[in-house]
Amino acid sequence: MGAGASALADSSSEINSYLKSKERKNPNNVTSSEWLFNACWFNNVAVAKTLLDRGEPNLRWESDHPSLDGRTCIHVAAFVGNIDIVKLLVEYDPDVINFEDKDGYLPLDYAKINHHSDIVNILKTNRRKKSY
C-alpha cells in the first residue's frame, strides 16, 4: 500500500474526516482507492459504500504492498471472506468479477482457495463472459 496506508487500519477518524470534507482534503496523501482497499480488507461496508457513491476510487487500483502486490479490492474481499463487500463491489461494477491479478487469478479463485462458498456462489452467479 502507498504512503500512509499502513496507518489506515487505526485511523478511521481520518477516513471519516475525509469523507465529511467538502474540500476533500486528504491527510497523508492517501488516495480514495487506497481507502477503498483498506475498507475492503477490514470489511468496512459503510466507508466502501460512501467512497463508491462519490465515484472516486479506481476499482482497478492494485496494491503495491509486497504481500498484496497486483491484487484489487475484489481480490482482497474474496480472499478474506468479506461477503458484504463482495456484494457491494459486484453491484457497483459487475466487471470486477473478471479482474485478474498479476498472476492471472480471479476473485473466484481466492474465494475457492479459502473455502468461502457463499462468495463463490455470488461470483459464479454474477459471472459474465468477457467481451473483446
Side-chain angles (χ1 to χ4, degrees):
M1 292 185 230
S6 62
L8 287 178
D10 299 324
S11 61
S12 59
S13 64
E14 285 183 16
I15 295 170
N16 289 330
S17 295
Y18 171 75
L19 293 174
K20 292 176 185 174
S21 168
K22 290 182 182 177
E23 297 175 19
R24 297 186 184 171
K25 289 189 177 176
N26 193 335
N28 299 323
N29 293 319
V30 178
T31 68
S32 59
S33 297
E34 287 174 296
W35 270 332
L36 178 62
F37 195 89
N38 184 69
C40 292
W41 183 267
F42 291 101
N43 204 28
N44 192 332
V45 178
V47 167
K49 181 163 178 24
T50 301
L51 288 166
L52 290 168
D53 287 347
R54 280 186 161 191
E56 296 175 3
N58 173 2
L59 289 178
R60 290 192 180 274
W61 182 83
E62 299 175 353
S63 173
D64 60 359
H65 187 277
S67 66
L68 301 171
D69 190 25
R71 286 158 187 91
T72 65
C73 292
I74 188 75
H75 290 104
V76 169
F79 178 83
V80 296
N82 292 336
I83 192 167
D84 292 330
I85 293 285
V86 169
K87 288 178 184 177
L88 179 67
L89 294 172
V90 170
E91 178 184 315
Y92 183 77
D93 182 359
D95 290 336
V96 297
I97 292 170
N98 293 319
F99 288 4
E100 292 182 3
D101 68 9
K102 70 177 183 112
D103 297 318
Y105 291 107
L106 297 168
L108 178 62
D109 298 320
Y110 288 106
K112 285 179 180 178
I113 290 167
N114 290 293
H115 309 287
H116 300 303
S117 58
D118 290 345
I119 293 175
V120 168
N121 291 334
I122 290 167
L123 296 174
K124 281 184 174 181
T125 301
N126 290 285
R127 188 165 48 181
R128 301 178 186 186
K129 293 189 177 196
K130 291 184 183 181
S131 57
Y132 293 95

